[in-house]
Amino acid sequence: MEIERDRYLSRLIKRKWNGSIKVVTGVRRCGKSYLLFNLFRDHLLSEGVDPKNIVEVALDDIENKHLREPLALYRHIIASVGNEECYVFLDEIQLVEGFEDVLNGLIRRKNLDVYVTGSNSKMLSKDVITEFRGRGDEVRIYPLSFSEFAKAFPEREEEAWDLYLTFGGMPELLSMTDEEQKTAYLQNLFKKVYLKDIKERNDVRLENELDMIVDLLCSSVGSLTNPLKISNTLKTVNRSGINEETVSRYLEFLEDSFLFERSKRYDVKGKRYFDTPSKYYAADAGLRNARLNFRQQEETHIMENIIFNELRSRGLSVDVGIVKDRVTRDGIVEFKQLEIDFVVNRGSQRYYIQSAYDMSDKEKEEREIRPFLKVRDSFKKIIIVGDNTYPKRDDNGVLTIGIRRFLMDEGSLDL
């Protein structure tokens, strides 16, 4: 079954002939190559592009091994395109040692529109910014969203949700029916692909400590943490000697490999960021669950992780919101910090979102709404709950919506 990935396809379409190299990035096996070589190619053909004007090179194919030498690849492309306007697709470009020179050479040719994918080594987000001298345009893609995943289960949305909550949205899972097979796939992907690549790329010396940090992040999704706290935990629980600076560096490795994303705290009233502590979210809930051997299936944290990834895959910036609450007790004024799970920005628009798996009693409802009432602006305020609640709005203008309805409706932020 072909899963349409219209979010990302539209981003590629908008970037056609913009003078930059389109770099499709994301965690390995999330569907980058399929997006480019199948979905985007089909779009070009439907627009009347002649197949001979689409040059494709899959550099991980053994038949193209000779093209992993930069000059050979460059000459092959130039010989293939002539003087006509052509689209160039290069898959797994990191396999070419010195690929930056190839791409910088291609971008000078006005008749070429260049697209590349890269899943490890030099194709990380920081390198996109630096390696192409300001002419790299990154399109970040994520594992399947729930709305994409659910298309494989027509008329069975609830079943799809149960599977997604447990195993996540890595595309290859859709070809697997056995839970044991899915578990082994996700665990091997994490250990033998992602972590192996991080350790080799960055010459990680403290491999066990890196593994421990990964486990801590997976266990504490949705919780505030920082390098010092992680270092102290490893020293206390695991008797590790790792210091704060090394933890900070290892966290960067995990972010650069797209395995985790950091969400910084933002003072809503003071309009400033706090550098620490922060929250870290896994690239995919299923990967996170598998890493923990499915032992910590707390729907509250998993749902929050899924919401974060959904917002990011919609192309939105996401921070943790902080608002101050003034409380007077026995004549003494105290200030408490209240948290808003997500402060979401899209251009000049802003949304405040709380993730509340269970909001079944009045006390829980008041606790979730209270931070919103301390925010004195007119931007939308949304509570996402764990059931399938229809959208409803209270007297304060706060919208409550069920998680599945939120995920299935691309325009759910603007209901």
Side-chain angles (χ1 to χ4, degrees):
M1 176 182 182
E2 181 174 279
I3 300 295
E4 297 176 358
R5 311 210 67 185
D6 293 339
R7 258 179 212 168
Y8 309 112
L9 180 59
S10 66
R11 290 171 195 171
L12 287 181
I13 293 169
K14 289 175 183 176
R15 287 165 168 77
K16 288 194 298 184
W17 298 103
N18 67 353
S20 296
I21 296 168
K22 274 62 72 174
V23 186
V24 183
T25 63
V27 67
R28 296 183 74 176
R29 311 287 175 82
C30 70
K32 299 183 297 297
S33 301
Y34 187 81
L35 171 67
L36 186 59
F37 283 75
N38 293 76
L39 301 178
F40 187 57
R41 185 180 191 278
D42 288 346
H43 162 76
L44 294 178
L45 296 178
S46 72
E47 292 288 303
V49 175
D50 193 318
K52 70 181 179 62
N53 290 333
I54 303 175
V55 178
E56 305 170 81
V57 182
L59 290 157
D60 58 345
D61 190 326
I62 188 65
E63 292 188 1
N64 293 325
K65 188 174 182 179
H66 63 291
L67 297 179
R68 295 177 192 171
E69 194 279 317
L71 192 56
L73 176 62
Y74 182 79
R75 287 172 174 168
H76 169 78
I77 295 169
I78 298 306
S80 301
V81 300
N83 294 317
E84 296 184 56
E85 285 193 345
C86 289
Y87 295 86
V88 177
F89 298 169
L90 302 175
D91 196 24
E92 302 295 353
I93 189 64
Q94 78 281 345
L95 294 175
V96 179
E97 187 69 34
F99 69 86
E100 301 88 349
D101 291 337
V102 176
L103 298 182
N104 280 316
L106 294 177
I107 203 172
R108 293 190 181 94
R109 295 186 169 260
K110 302 300 183 184
N111 64 319
L112 300 184
D113 196 21
V114 182
Y115 301 75
V116 303
T117 76
S119 53
N120 61 6
S121 294
K122 297 180 180 178
M123 297 309 299
L124 305 174
S125 23
K126 289 182 181 177
D127 301 304
V128 171
I129 297 171
T130 59
E131 294 291 1
F132 308 131
R133 301 170 191 170
R135 302 185 72 181
D137 195 348
E138 182 181 12
V139 176
R140 169 78 181 275
I141 81 169
Y142 291 76
L144 297 176
S145 68
F146 178 62
S147 60
E148 293 170 331
F149 184 84
K151 290 176 183 176
F153 301 85
E155 310 299 326
R156 293 183 291 156
E157 185 182 299
E158 191 168 346
E159 177 189 351
W161 175 244
D162 290 339
L163 288 169
Y164 191 78
L165 202 64
T166 303
F167 294 105
M170 297 303 288
E172 288 184 44
L173 291 174
L174 292 177
S175 64
M176 305 174 191
T177 56
D178 182 82
E179 290 192 3
E180 185 179 342
Q181 184 184 13
K182 293 177 183 179
T183 298
Y185 170 74
L186 291 172
Q187 289 178 337
N188 286 334
L189 198 57
F190 213 122
K191 182 178 181 179
K192 298 182 180 179
V193 177
Y194 301 144
L195 290 182
K196 183 173 181 288
D197 181 66
I198 291 170
K199 291 171 183 177
E200 290 179 353
R201 166 180 164 80
N202 299 288
D203 191 24
V204 172
R205 306 282 177 96
L206 303 176
E207 295 189 14
N208 289 336
E209 278 76 0
L210 177 63
D211 290 340
M212 293 176 206
I213 291 171
V214 167
D215 292 338
L216 278 174
L217 294 183
C218 288
S219 297
S220 60
V221 159
S223 300
L224 291 167
T225 191
N226 59 29
L228 179 59
K229 183 177 179 180
I230 292 173
S231 174
N232 289 338
T233 299
L234 294 183
K235 289 175 182 177
T236 302
V237 178
N238 302 97
R239 297 183 180 179
S240 167
I242 191 169
N243 59 37
E244 180 183 355
E245 291 73 24
T246 303
V247 171
S248 180
R249 202 166 70 251
Y250 285 8
L251 288 173
E252 278 191 43
F253 298 162
L254 294 170
E255 285 185 81
D256 286 343
S257 65
F258 309 112
L259 263 181
F260 292 90
E261 270 196 88
R262 179 188 179 196
S263 184
K264 297 175 68 174
R265 289 194 308 157
Y266 177 73
D267 182 345
V268 175
K269 292 184 178 180
K271 296 181 172 28
R272 64 189 181 94
Y273 282 97
F274 298 95
D275 189 56
T276 184
S278 303
K279 291 187 179 183
Y280 290 85
Y281 293 96
D284 177 75
L287 287 169
R288 175 262 180 198
N289 296 340
R291 176 67 185 183
L292 298 175
N293 292 314
F294 301 93
R295 288 193 298 263
Q296 298 180 32
Q297 295 299 97
E298 311 97 329
E299 289 90 344
T300 302
H301 300 308
I302 297 172
M303 189 177 94
E304 185 175 332
N305 203 138
I306 289 172
I307 293 170
F308 177 84
N309 288 340
E310 174 70 19
L311 294 169
R312 292 291 293 124
S313 71
R314 292 185 186 184
L316 307 170
S317 66
V318 184
D319 302 310
V320 181
I322 299 296
V323 290
K324 288 183 179 179
D325 183 23
R326 178 173 173 168
V327 180
T328 303
R329 289 197 182 109
D330 300 325
I332 300 174
V333 177
E334 298 177 350
F335 288 93
K336 293 176 59 180
Q337 285 190 340
L338 303 179
E339 183 178 295
I340 299 173
D341 290 328
F342 304 117
V343 178
V344 181
N345 291 291
R346 177 170 57 195
S348 61
Q349 294 176 297
R350 174 174 290 177
Y351 308 85
Y352 301 104
I353 298 176
Q354 296 285 47
S355 172
Y357 181 78
D358 178 17
M359 204 168 65
S360 56
D361 61 58
K362 197 66 177 175
E363 185 180 343
K364 290 180 180 178
E365 184 177 348
E366 289 176 353
R367 187 168 61 246
E368 297 296 339
I369 291 176
R370 189 173 184 181
F372 289 159
L373 302 181
K374 301 298 176 181
V375 178
R376 307 296 184 185
D377 63 35
S378 59
F379 291 118
K380 286 196 172 178
K381 299 165 181 69
I382 303 169
I383 299 176
I384 303 174
V385 295
D387 57 26
N388 210 24
T389 298
Y390 280 92
K392 59 183 181 182
R393 204 177 302 275
D394 67 12
D395 293 339
N396 294 307
V398 177
L399 176 73
T400 299
I401 184 173
I403 178 64
R404 279 155 47 193
R405 295 186 183 279
F406 175 79
L407 296 173
M408 291 295 289
D409 185 347
E410 189 76 18
S412 54
L413 284 173
D414 297 311
L415 290 173

